[in-house]
Amino acid sequence: MIEVKNLTKRYGKNTAVDNISFVVGDGEIVGFLGPNGAGKTTTMNIMTGYISSTEGSVIINGFDILKEPEKAKKQIGYLPDMPPLYGDMRVSEYLEFVCDIKNVPKEKRSDMLEEIYDIVKINDVKSRIIKNLSKGYRQRVGLAQALVGFPDVLILDEPTVGLDPKQIIEMRDVIKELGERHTVILSSHILHEVSAVCDKIIIINDGKIVAQKRTDEFENMSEGFFNVRFKAVKSSDEILSIFSGFNPSFDGVMEMGTYDFSMSVKNENGDLREEIFNIASKENIPILMFKPVTFSLEEIFIKVINNNYSGDFENGVLDENSLENDAEKIDDALADEEDD
């Protein structure tokens, strides 16, 4: 359905998108993630034909967006981060105007628009003036214009930005429904929403793809590994030596007189706490806290964008100490809309 090959975009000496490639299959919902300035919006603008690439190609349903732009664009419905709305128009007037732009035959418009009203749930506001609508409804109207003509591919840039929690849940349900009949690519900073909606996740940072996997593969990154944190009354050097076979790392002193550690070790048999506890007992090491650790998509995201993808992450091992040190960066990485 969508094939991006060796895509690069340069602005003078600055490279916004750096030789990225990925494929999106028919009917997939794919989440495009990255911190502000990572290159997400630039990539989406190239995919929709809004701007041209410096190198590489984008194929939409067999059509090259640069070589056959008209045919390729007919396959795409696009919701930019700022929906292209005309505030003085009524919703129905605006969508009729979009039908004119997209050359939708007049005899097909009525039934198509009624179906779109129902899909995005704007039947009750279709006669209202757009500028008088809430942010949530304006976002729905923006999504409705992307659906006009029922294109095979929907590209949604921050479809839930600025929405309240209730509106986010409603938009998530709409996107899930759209995924049953369209191929969808969406960018977002709300990782929980991405994991709830998307079949596949692509993470981009500094213009490069640093990770792409199916959502369940991201969520199961720790499978086959045992990760644990514990607090002990013993010096760090002793602990690191005694538990050297468990890949220990020293997390620091969180409480006077104690030492915090993390372990992450490949293990197909699951829980190793009993074995670790027996070693601690034999070595006369008092353990004051002991718990297994799982990692959320947010933590994996932070790990990846802080250039820690190679090595331990690639093999499925995640260092919680590094994640905790990076946690303070989550707000900066996810807070505002992207400024490519």
Side-chain angles (χ1 to χ4, degrees):
M1 178 62 72
I2 302 172
E3 188 173 3
V4 175
K5 297 180 181 178
N6 307 118
L7 198 65
T8 298
K9 179 64 176 179
R10 300 188 188 94
Y11 296 97
K13 295 181 179 180
N14 297 319
T15 301
V17 178
D18 190 0
N19 194 36
I20 69 172
S21 300
F22 60 88
V23 175
V24 180
D26 291 350
E28 279 191 320
I29 303 178
V30 174
F32 206 43
L33 302 180
N36 295 334
K40 302 190 303 297
T41 296
T42 299
T43 301
M44 288 185 158
N45 284 339
I46 294 172
M47 292 173 66
T48 58
Y50 183 69
I51 61 175
S52 62
S53 62
T54 305
E55 298 173 10
S57 63
V58 176
I59 310 297
I60 309 289
N61 259 3
F63 302 108
D64 190 303
I65 195 69
L66 290 180
K67 296 178 181 178
E68 301 175 279
E70 186 172 345
K71 291 180 180 179
K73 290 177 183 180
K74 284 182 177 179
Q75 315 298 314
I76 301 170
Y78 181 38
L79 174 64
D81 53 353
M82 296 292 290
L85 306 178
Y86 292 92
D88 292 330
M89 283 186 170
R90 298 185 186 278
V91 172
S92 57
E93 293 172 339
Y94 170 69
L95 292 179
E96 282 284 352
F97 170 66
V98 175
C99 287
D100 287 337
I101 294 174
K102 293 189 176 184
N103 294 319
V104 177
K106 291 189 176 181
E107 64 272 15
K108 295 182 179 180
R109 292 185 185 183
S110 179
D111 290 343
M112 182 196 67
L113 288 178
E114 286 301 321
E115 187 174 354
I116 290 174
Y117 292 145
D118 186 58
I119 291 172
V120 301
K121 299 175 175 59
I122 56 172
N123 266 304
D124 54 340
V125 300
K126 62 184 179 182
S127 62
R128 291 182 59 184
I129 295 175
I130 292 174
K131 68 181 179 183
N132 295 331
L133 298 178
S134 67
K135 170 68 174 177
Y137 272 114
R138 291 199 301 272
Q139 201 76 354
R140 288 171 185 261
V141 175
L143 182 56
Q145 67 78 27
L147 284 170
V148 168
F150 291 127
D152 290 333
V153 176
L154 295 176
I155 298 179
L156 314 177
D157 194 359
E158 299 286 349
T160 60
V161 67
L163 303 187
D164 64 36
K166 180 176 182 294
Q167 293 168 338
I168 289 173
I169 292 171
E170 291 171 346
M171 183 64 76
R172 179 180 68 189
D173 292 339
V174 170
I175 293 171
K176 279 184 176 180
E177 184 178 343
L178 292 175
E180 296 176 1
R181 54 190 294 185
H182 302 270
T183 298
V184 181
I185 296 180
L186 65 94
S187 71
S188 179
H189 287 122
I190 304 175
L191 303 189
H192 173 71
E193 297 304 319
V194 170
S195 63
V197 170
C198 296
D199 305 308
K200 180 180 178 181
I201 296 172
I202 298 171
I203 300 178
I204 184 172
N205 190 37
D206 292 332
K208 299 179 180 180
I209 290 178
V210 292
Q212 56 177 318
K213 295 177 180 289
R214 295 194 61 81
T215 305
D216 56 356
E217 292 176 331
F218 271 109
E219 293 173 347
N220 296 327
M221 281 301 298
S222 295
E223 285 191 0
F225 289 81
F226 181 69
N227 306 290
V228 66
R229 284 195 62 203
F230 68 95
K231 185 188 296 289
V233 183
K234 207 74 170 179
S235 75
S236 59
D237 289 341
E238 290 179 276
I239 293 291
L240 295 176
S241 175
I242 291 169
F243 292 101
S244 59
F246 294 89
N247 192 31
S249 62
F250 177 50
D251 292 352
V253 177
M254 312 298 177
E255 179 183 337
M256 188 64 68
T258 68
Y259 301 85
D260 286 51
F261 300 88
S262 299
M263 294 181 184
S264 186
V265 60
K266 188 171 181 62
N267 174 55
E268 301 297 337
N269 298 319
D271 200 327
L272 291 174
R273 282 178 293 179
E274 183 176 351
E275 183 177 348
I276 294 171
F277 183 82
N278 288 337
I279 293 173
S281 177
K282 180 180 178 180
E283 298 292 336
N284 194 28
I285 301 172
I287 295 181
L288 306 184
M289 183 273 290
F290 199 50
K291 66 177 183 180
V293 177
T294 57
F295 298 102
S296 67
L297 180 58
E298 285 86 353
E299 291 172 314
I300 294 172
F301 176 83
I302 292 299
K303 182 72 172 176
V304 173
I305 66 170
N306 279 286
N307 299 316
N308 292 312
Y309 178 68
S310 299
D312 60 351
F313 179 82
E314 188 174 32
N315 293 318
V317 184
L318 296 173
D319 173 27
E320 187 185 7
N321 184 41
S322 173
L323 291 171
E324 287 188 343
N325 290 338
D326 292 333
E328 65 204 37
K329 301 178 183 178
I330 291 178
D331 289 339
D332 291 337
L334 305 179
D336 301 318
E337 292 179 66
E338 180 172 20
D339 182 19
D340 281 328

